[in-house]
Amino acid sequence: MNIKLLNSPQTAIARVLLEANEELAAQHGSLMAMSPDITVQSSVRRTSDGAGKQTSRGNQVKTMFLNNYRTGENGGEIYLAPALVGNLGHYQLSGRKLIVRQSSYLASDGKVDIFMGYKSAAQKEPYSWLSLVGVGDVLISSFGAMYSLEVNGKQIVNSDHVVAFDNSLKVKQYQELRPWPKRLVPNQEILYEFSGTGTIFCQTHGPRGFAREVGRQLKPENFKLR
């Protein structure tokens, strides 16, 4: 498997060259193009505590749809793109576990196992996470630019900006940043405290904050039938 990142960093695309009988798992909806002799099979991953369960924050326990691409004897190529505008990161998984935000997962080698969920000490968890285990290539995406933080001790990070991190790091909720009364600032910023030694992959923009800004610009009259 050979991966080349194109048009990075503004609107990144991944070109994946697969050898004979290789397999790639990718986020549903990420396919741009592929060779005609590649077969596709869809699969579903769910959290172990029951799909559709309502959480205290009003979110549904997540279900993830994957497309599994497999080449024939002649190999082939696949072009993938993330849902949001931003950059891609290529991670070489080598026996360690990588924790990835579900919305930031793009694709991985067919030999990499993907598990829904991650048990952390964060009490108010706003996101769903994936645990990736095995040996192979992993593609992760960011909203905006992506950068890495090398931790040797402790690091405080805004949860909206976390894309992925090494499982060698311990995580707990640090505090909420709410400088004004709740009626004025209903959406708090949640901070994570990472401790240990490992790498955190971050993004410059938060999808939740972006969605709130877009929502403020929408007016009811924009949706009236004419």
Side-chain angles (χ1 to χ4, degrees):
M1 183 179 299
N2 183 278
I3 296 176
K4 186 174 182 180
L5 302 183
L6 310 175
N7 209 37
S8 183
Q10 292 86 0
T11 51
I13 300 168
R15 182 189 183 214
V16 184
L17 298 177
L18 299 172
E19 297 181 359
N21 301 311
E22 275 196 313
E23 187 172 328
L24 179 77
Q27 185 83 261
H28 177 76
S30 62
L31 177 68
M32 288 183 59
M34 69 178 185
S35 300
D37 56 344
I38 294 178
T39 59
V40 185
Q41 185 175 8
S42 297
S43 61
V44 180
R45 304 293 170 92
R46 293 187 176 90
T47 48
S48 59
D49 52 354
K53 179 181 175 183
Q54 197 77 12
T55 68
S56 60
R57 295 179 63 87
N59 299 321
Q60 296 289 331
V61 171
K62 297 294 185 179
T63 299
M64 184 175 70
F65 294 91
L66 291 175
N67 286 336
N68 299 285
Y69 303 92
R70 186 173 183 84
T71 58
E73 296 299 326
N74 298 321
E77 63 179 7
I78 298 175
Y79 290 84
L80 301 172
L84 297 174
V85 175
N87 204 0
L88 293 177
H90 180 195
Y91 186 93
Q92 292 281 352
L93 196 61
S94 55
R96 300 178 67 179
K97 182 185 292 186
L98 182 69
I99 309 302
V100 182
R101 186 189 298 192
Q102 181 177 333
S103 59
S104 296
Y105 170 82
L106 185 69
S108 58
D109 191 306
K111 298 187 292 292
V112 173
D113 292 322
I114 306 171
F115 299 97
M116 294 287 293
Y118 165 69
K119 293 183 178 179
S120 72
Q123 298 300 313
K124 294 183 178 180
E125 181 53 74
Y127 301 111
S128 292
W129 299 90
L130 305 176
S131 298
L132 275 58
V133 185
V135 178
D137 298 277
V138 176
L139 284 170
I140 55 179
S141 65
S142 65
F143 185 27
M146 185 185 301
Y147 60 100
S148 60
L149 295 173
E150 299 299 328
V151 181
N152 186 10
K154 291 185 178 181
Q155 182 74 55
I156 309 300
V157 184
N158 188 319
S159 64
D160 280 356
H161 294 267
V162 178
V163 169
F165 56 92
D166 291 328
N167 190 52
S168 57
L169 293 168
K170 294 182 179 180
V171 189
K172 69 177 182 179
Q173 185 177 317
Y174 182 67
Q175 65 181 42
E176 294 179 10
L177 285 184
R178 192 193 294 274
W180 304 101
K182 184 175 181 179
R183 60 186 177 83
L184 299 178
V185 187
N187 298 296
Q188 68 272 34
E189 291 182 301
I190 298 175
L191 305 183
Y192 290 158
E193 179 183 282
F194 292 88
S195 59
T197 302
T199 304
I200 307 171
F201 297 92
C202 300
Q203 58 191 2
T204 56
H205 297 76
R208 290 198 309 160
F210 175 74
R212 289 197 297 267
E213 291 301 319
V214 171
R216 291 190 184 103
Q217 305 302 319
L218 299 178
K219 299 179 181 179
E221 55 266 26
N222 295 336
F223 300 93
K224 291 181 179 179
L225 295 177
R226 300 183 183 276

